[in-house]
């Protein structure tokens, strides 16, 4: 049973990445070389190849569609600005995702300073029940499931920034621990620790809140 | 033993459910779950919250327009940047570099010219030289053991007394004798018909040169004797 659950969890995470973005590393090195030389078409190609992933990370980090779009724009502007600093032979995607995470941290910080609550701004209006649950005859089960999804979404937004970044990349984007470490500029051991801590917090948060709601009814 | 193992398992479960445990730890955890119902339940809870998280944050499909807006906004920002500001920026950099290089060369040339035009530095303040029967005193940096016949204090005394002796019309020989270290001076002076004494003052531009021949010294001695005899008579 545990093995089955773990398998479901892993399958959900690993099926996330968009297939068209998984280009070979030398594909990007050639494009980066051209973009550096002033080829704007090459830069557009880089955007086309990576935008889905960048937007996805930004959306999961910020929980808001508009913020995700603004963050993605900022990411590409920074990439363009610092393209000359990118060393040949380095992992371009790792570099790009590191910039993405940094931009998301900056956006979250600005939002916090502006005094707006990040949890309240999550795009819950777009919540749609999964097809198998939506087609269910039991409306109570559907409502319960929707409530659980809402809880888990809030829980992610309440995590500390570093743990959230590690969890988003590892569990939601399906990166390996080593890839996450490269993207975050830390060690795999640190990533494992952050991800483990984040999972514990999410489980505890969901458990506490569901208990509280259960007793209040 | 068992509770300790469960506590350790509690720390490993969040990693186990996502397959982050490696090697022996994974096998050990699987063996533990086979016997411990509590840990198995905990692992199920973790797996459930994990799958809920993945479901709740499932990748959203944004339409093509959404991505188009991002791309067009970025390209609108960077394209004028590239067309307009980049080439002049590089041009300006080259101009700055060339100007700096030119200024550096001119400064070096001027410095060399100024250095060439400057007169040769004197041996040092307070030095006395004696060429062809001249007294020489080295620069101030010399150690006392290697210093010439006249110590520095006596030279300063000589320079001061020499200035006073001009007013009194006294001879330099007498002044040096009063310094008490004129053996080298008198010894070397006797080897030549003309004695040349150079005294370098503290000011490098002022050098006192004293020329005296044996005949004048003799006449002065005669004059002195005559003066002494006249005094005795009086």
């Amino acid at each position: 049973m545990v093995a089955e659950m773990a398998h479901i969890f892993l399958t959900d995470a690993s099926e996330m990445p968009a297939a068209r973005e998984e280009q070979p590393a030398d594909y990007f090195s050639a494009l980066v070389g051209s973009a550096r030389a002033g080829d704007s078409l090459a830069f557009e190609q880089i955007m086309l190849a990576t935008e889905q992933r960048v937007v996805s990370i930004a959306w999961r980090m910020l929980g808001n569609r508009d913020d995700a779009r603004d963050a993605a724009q900022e990411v590409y502007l920074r990439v363009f600005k610092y393209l000359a600093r990118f060393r040949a032979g380095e992992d371009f995607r790792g570099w790009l995702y590191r910039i993405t995470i940094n931009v998301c941290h900056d956006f979250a910080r600005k939002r916090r300073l502006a005094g707006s609550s990040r949890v309240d701004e999550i795009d819950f209006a777009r919540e749609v029940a999964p097809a198998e649950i939506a087609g269910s005859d039991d409306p109570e089960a559907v409502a319960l499931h929707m409530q659980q999804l809402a809880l888990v979404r809030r829980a992610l937004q309440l995590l500390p920034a570093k743990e959230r970044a590690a969890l988003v990349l590892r569990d939601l984007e399906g990166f390996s621990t080593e890839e996450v470490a490269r993207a975050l500029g830390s060690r795999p051991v640190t990533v494992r620790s952050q991800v483990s801590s984040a999972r514990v917090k999410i489980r505890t948060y969901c458990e506490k809140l569901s208990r509280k709601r259960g007793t209040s009814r | 033993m068992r509770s300790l193992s469960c506590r350790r398992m509690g720390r490993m479960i969040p990693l186990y459910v996502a397959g982050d445990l490696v090697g022996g730890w994974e096998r050990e955890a699987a063996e533990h779950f086979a016997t411990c119902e509590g840990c198995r339940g905990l692992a199920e809870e973790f797996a459930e919250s994990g799958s809920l998280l993945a479901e709740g944050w499932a990748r959203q499909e944004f339409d093509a327009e959404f991505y188009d807006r991002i791309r067009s906004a970025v390209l609108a920002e960077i394209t004028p940047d590239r067309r307009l500001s980049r080439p002049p920026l590089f041009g300006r950099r080259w101009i700055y570099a060339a100007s700096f290089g030119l200024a550096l060369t001119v400064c070096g040339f001027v410095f060399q010219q100024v250095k060439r035009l400057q007169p040769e530095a004197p041996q040092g303040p307070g030095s006395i030289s004696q060429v062809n029967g001249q007294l020489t005193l080295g620069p101030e940096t010399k150690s006392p053991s290697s210093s010439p016949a006249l110590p520095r204090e006596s030279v300063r005394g000589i320079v001061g007394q020499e200035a006073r002796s001009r007013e009194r019309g006294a001879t330099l020989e007498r002044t040096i004798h009063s310094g008490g270290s004129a053996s080298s001076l008198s010894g070397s002076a006797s080897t030549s018909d003309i004695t040349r004494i150079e005294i370098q003052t503290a000011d490098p531009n002022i050098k006192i040169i004293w020329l005296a021949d044996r005949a004048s010294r003799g006449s002065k001695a005669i004059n002195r004797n005559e003066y002494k005899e006249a005094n005795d008579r009086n």
Side-chain angles (χ1 to χ4, degrees), chain A residues 26-60:
Chain A
D26 54 343
Y27 172 79
F28 286 109
S29 61
L31 283 177
V32 166
S34 305
R36 258 191 207 160
D39 186 357
S40 55
L41 277 176
F43 193 74
E44 198 173 356
Q45 284 296 310
I46 292 173
M47 283 200 284
L48 278 166
T50 55
E51 62 190 6
Q52 284 193 354
R53 179 77 85 173
V54 168
V55 167
S56 171
I57 293 172
W59 176 68
R60 283 166 170 159

Side-chain angles (χ1 to χ4, degrees), chain A residues 59-128:
Chain A
W59 176 68
R60 283 166 170 159
M61 286 292 291
L62 298 168
N64 184 296
R65 184 188 160 93
D66 293 334
D67 280 354
R69 189 184 53 226
D70 292 346
Q73 281 178 19
E74 179 61 27
V75 166
Y76 286 113
L77 288 174
R78 279 196 201 177
V79 166
F80 179 77
K81 189 177 175 185
Y82 298 115
L83 206 56
R85 289 190 196 173
F86 176 74
R87 286 172 299 212
E90 201 183 341
D91 176 20
F92 178 75
R93 274 173 296 203
W95 185 67
L96 174 71
Y97 301 147
R98 188 154 60 234
I99 290 176
T100 308
I101 294 292
N102 289 340
V103 167
C104 290
H105 285 330
D106 291 349
F107 266 65
R109 204 177 300 131
K110 276 181 201 164
R111 207 160 57 177
R112 226 176 14 250
L113 288 174
S116 61
S117 165
R118 55 189 172 170
V119 180
D120 292 342
E121 286 189 5
I122 300 171
D123 203 0
F124 288 125
R126 297 177 68 83
E127 277 179 18
V128 180

Side-chain angles (χ1 to χ4, degrees), chain A residues 1-2 5-6 9-10 12 16-18 35 38 43-44 47-48 51-53 55-56 59-60 63 65 69 72-73 76-77 80 126 130 145 148-149 152-153 156-157 167 170 172-173 177 192 196 199-200 202-203 207, chain B residues 10-11 14-20 22 33 39-63 66-75 77-79 81-82 86:
Chain A
M1 180 62 182
V2 176
M5 292 293 272
F9 178 46
L10 288 172
D12 285 345
M16 293 296 162
F43 193 74
E44 198 173 356
M47 283 200 284
L48 278 166
E51 62 190 6
Q52 284 193 354
R53 179 77 85 173
V55 167
S56 171
W59 176 68
R60 283 166 170 159
R65 184 188 160 93
R69 189 184 53 226
Q73 281 178 19
Y76 286 113
L77 288 174
F80 179 77
R126 297 177 68 83
H145 190 76
Q148 283 176 325
L149 290 181
V152 88
R153 282 178 178 175
L156 181 71
Q157 292 298 306
L167 194 73
R170 177 70 185 91
L172 301 178
E173 294 296 330
T177 305
R192 265 187 216 110
S196 172
R199 284 173 191 154
V200 170
I202 283 193
R203 193 195 72 84
E207 195 184 34
Chain B
R11 285 200 296 271
L15 296 172
Y16 174 80
V17 291
D20 284 337
V22 285
F33 289 136
C39 288
R40 203 164 54 235
L42 194 63
E44 281 170 12
E45 281 179 24
F46 268 106
E48 196 178 353
S49 67
S51 58
L52 268 176
L53 184 77
E55 196 181 329
W57 286 99
R59 184 182 280 257
Q60 264 205 345
E61 289 302 324
F62 297 102
D63 50 11
F66 182 86
Y67 293 111
D68 282 345
R69 280 179 67 182
I70 293 172
R71 254 177 279 128
S72 55
V74 171
L75 289 173
E77 283 265 344
I78 65 171
T79 312
D81 224 32
R82 208 178 265 286
R86 201 89 182 248

Side-chain angles (χ1 to χ4, degrees), chain B residues 4-234:
Chain B
L4 179 71
S5 183
C6 281
R7 202 180 301 155
R8 192 190 278 179
M9 278 301 116
R11 285 200 296 271
M12 286 182 187
I13 286 170
L15 296 172
Y16 174 80
V17 291
D20 284 337
L21 280 183
V22 285
W25 290 111
E26 194 177 13
R27 197 177 56 246
E28 204 175 305
E31 283 170 8
H32 181 84
F33 289 136
T35 57
C36 181
E37 201 175 329
C39 288
R40 203 164 54 235
L42 194 63
E44 281 170 12
E45 281 179 24
F46 268 106
E48 196 178 353
S49 67
S51 58
L52 268 176
L53 184 77
E55 196 181 329
W57 286 99
R59 184 182 280 257
Q60 264 205 345
E61 289 302 324
F62 297 102
D63 50 11
E65 196 191 341
F66 182 86
Y67 293 111
D68 282 345
R69 280 179 67 182
I70 293 172
R71 254 177 279 128
S72 55
V74 171
L75 289 173
E77 283 265 344
I78 65 171
T79 312
D81 224 32
R82 208 178 265 286
R83 276 187 194 153
L84 299 174
S85 65
R86 201 89 182 248
L89 180 73
F90 273 107
R92 221 180 297 152
R93 275 185 193 171
W94 280 111
I95 290 167
Y96 289 153
S99 311
F100 181 70
L102 192 67
L104 211 66
T105 313
V106 168
C107 282
F109 180 74
V110 168
F111 178 73
Q112 214 171 10
Q113 289 299 314
V114 167
K115 204 174 172 188
R116 196 185 296 168
L117 287 173
Q118 269 180 351
E120 269 189 28
Q123 281 180 321
S127 65
I128 290 179
S129 61
Q130 188 180 9
V131 183
N132 191 18
Q134 287 171 289
L135 184 70
T136 307
L137 181 67
E140 281 188 354
T141 50
K142 278 188 176 179
S143 63
S145 60
S146 64
S147 65
L150 284 175
R152 203 160 304 286
E153 289 75 20
S154 70
V155 172
R156 288 204 185 102
I158 289 165
V159 172
Q161 285 180 29
E162 199 277 337
R164 284 195 295 276
S165 70
R166 262 192 201 163
E167 294 165 10
R168 293 199 305 257
T171 59
L172 180 63
E173 287 92 333
R174 191 184 296 166
T175 310
I176 291 171
H177 277 295
S178 69
S181 54
S183 57
S184 65
L185 175 68
S186 56
S188 62
S190 63
T191 59
S192 174
D193 289 342
I194 298 172
T195 304
R196 177 190 166 97
I197 298 173
E198 284 186 15
I199 300 173
Q200 180 64 56
T201 62
D203 188 343
N205 296 320
I206 299 172
K207 187 184 271 187
I208 298 164
I209 301 171
W210 187 276
L211 294 170
D213 59 353
R214 205 183 288 171
S216 68
R217 281 212 310 269
S219 65
K220 276 178 189 168
I222 292 164
N223 288 341
R224 250 182 273 140
N225 288 337
E226 283 172 356
Y227 180 71
K228 209 175 175 183
E229 281 169 12
N231 277 344
D232 289 343
R233 273 198 299 257
N234 291 333

